[in-house]
Amino acid sequence: MGIFSKFVAKLKGQSTADPLVWKVLEEELLAADLGPILTTEILKSAQGLKGDDALSSLTQILNSHLSAKPRALSDAGTVGVVLVVGVNGTGKTTSAAKLANLLKSSGSSVMLAAGDTFRAAAVDQLQTWGARIGVPVISGKDGAEPAAVAFDAVKQAVEMKADIVIIDTAGRLHTKVNLMTELTKIKRVIQKFIPEAPHEVMLVLDGSTGQNALEQAKQFTATTEVTALSITKLDGTAKGGVVLAIANQFKIPVKYIGVGEKIDDLIIFDKHEFVDSLFKGVTNS
Ligand code: GDP
Ligand code: MG
């Protein structure tokens, strides 16, 4: 069931002049994690809608809140460098592997870099994925500096003329200053090889954490230049509205969504498809 099913049911056979219709919509938007800002915006633009047109207009309004367009990585013209950032547990390592697999299947030569050197398990995790999908994983010795791993990875990617190198990172929020210093260091060393890198800084957010994901987006975008979003764990949550709330508030394109733990559970985000899914279960009868 899409998040707007109750609203649409309510709208049927009722006039949009009925304040109760809008009350239901407001409740559904908030329950779906669109957050108060976007909910108010949508309600405001939806108020003037009339009867039968209300549904298609609402679809248009939602689409317009997802207007930022992602840039293509293949435009890099050199080794494309993707830096994966985000808080621990959001799905960075899994998303890095899924993305490597996706790009490899579309014909790119891809490398992974195990930049989360703080936990041995994180390196193992990426290596396991790499072996499974047939993508080389560059890692350092125990206790290696993340920036040193990134340096090695980009160097090798350039030498091997790879198309894309995806750098996984650590995400310890409690040492935010260190984390940001680390990211700055990583960027500096890769720019030694490719001045315009990273071509993509992908922030991974756990969509099932709702407004918390919004807060993380706020913190990361304030301290590092994020160019794309990947929102994970949208399987098993009825709160997909957070995708809209984040895209709208930060004007950063949502590029991927994670819908499970398996390697092919990463979907290239399609805003029309996404908005349509919010109305799933709504029939015209
Ligand atoms: P990291 O700490 O940010 O690197 O997070 P991980 O990639 O290690 O993922 C943390 C947990 O979330 C793992 O158990 C993953 O399998 C799981 N996970 C990642 N993405 C998804 C997703 O889209 N859906 C679900 N259900 N689980 C996910
Ligand atoms: Mg990780």
Side-chain angles (χ1 to χ4, degrees), residues 87-94 98 119 125 232-233 235 258-261:
V87 171
N88 262 349
T90 51
K92 286 183 301 301
T93 303
T94 314
K98 286 172 174 174
R119 295 173 304 140
Q125 186 189 358
T232 62
K233 310 191 194 184
D235 49 312
V259 293
E261 297 189 84

Side-chain angles (χ1 to χ4, degrees), residues 100-159:
N101 186 56
L102 193 73
L103 294 169
K104 190 189 174 209
S105 335
S106 63
S108 297
S109 69
V110 188
M111 287 170 79
L112 281 161
D116 182 357
T117 60
F118 296 96
R119 295 173 304 140
V123 178
D124 292 347
Q125 186 189 358
L126 198 64
Q127 274 166 343
T128 305
W129 278 121
R132 215 180 287 170
I133 62 178
V135 166
V137 177
I138 310 306
S139 60
K141 292 199 189 70
D142 261 1
E145 288 259 331
V149 175
F151 182 89
D152 272 355
V154 175
K155 183 167 178 275
Q156 289 194 46
V158 169
E159 283 167 5

Side-chain angles (χ1 to χ4, degrees), residues 32-236:
D33 253 337
L34 269 85
I37 300 173
L38 186 55
T39 296
T40 309
E41 266 179 50
I42 290 176
L43 284 173
K44 227 177 11 198
S45 37
Q47 288 288 353
L49 304 180
K50 295 229 167 53
D52 288 347
D53 296 337
L55 206 57
S56 63
S57 304
L58 187 59
T59 308
Q60 270 176 31
I61 291 167
L62 294 172
N63 270 314
S64 73
H65 284 285
L66 286 167
S67 51
K69 267 213 176 68
R71 53 179 149 168
L73 266 178
S74 50
D75 295 348
T78 164
V79 177
V81 180
V82 182
L83 194 59
V84 181
V85 303
V87 171
N88 262 349
T90 51
K92 286 183 301 301
T93 303
T94 314
S95 298
K98 286 172 174 174
L99 179 58
N101 186 56
L102 193 73
L103 294 169
K104 190 189 174 209
S105 335
S106 63
S108 297
S109 69
V110 188
M111 287 170 79
L112 281 161
D116 182 357
T117 60
F118 296 96
R119 295 173 304 140
V123 178
D124 292 347
Q125 186 189 358
L126 198 64
Q127 274 166 343
T128 305
W129 278 121
R132 215 180 287 170
I133 62 178
V135 166
V137 177
I138 310 306
S139 60
K141 292 199 189 70
D142 261 1
E145 288 259 331
V149 175
F151 182 89
D152 272 355
V154 175
K155 183 167 178 275
Q156 289 194 46
V158 169
E159 283 167 5
M160 292 168 70
K161 295 191 169 37
D163 296 316
I164 290 155
V165 56
I166 302 168
I167 304 173
D168 188 23
T169 66
R172 302 157 305 156
L173 197 63
H174 57 286
T175 53
K176 208 176 113 211
V177 177
N178 285 348
L179 175 63
M180 296 309 166
T181 313
E182 203 60 70
L183 290 179
T184 308
K185 235 199 250 172
I186 291 176
K187 281 189 200 168
R188 209 167 48 222
V189 301
I190 57 186
Q191 282 164 355
K192 283 185 186 156
F193 291 102
I194 306 166
E196 67 275 23
H199 304 86
E200 187 104 281
V201 177
M202 187 167 88
L203 174 62
V204 179
L205 298 167
D206 178 344
S208 70
T209 60
Q211 299 302 299
N212 203 357
L214 224 94
E215 184 54 38
Q216 289 171 16
K218 199 188 278 174
Q219 296 196 8
F220 269 89
T221 51
T223 39
T224 189
E225 197 209 337
V226 175
T227 64
L229 300 172
S230 177
I231 304 183
T232 62
K233 310 191 194 184
L234 289 177
D235 49 312

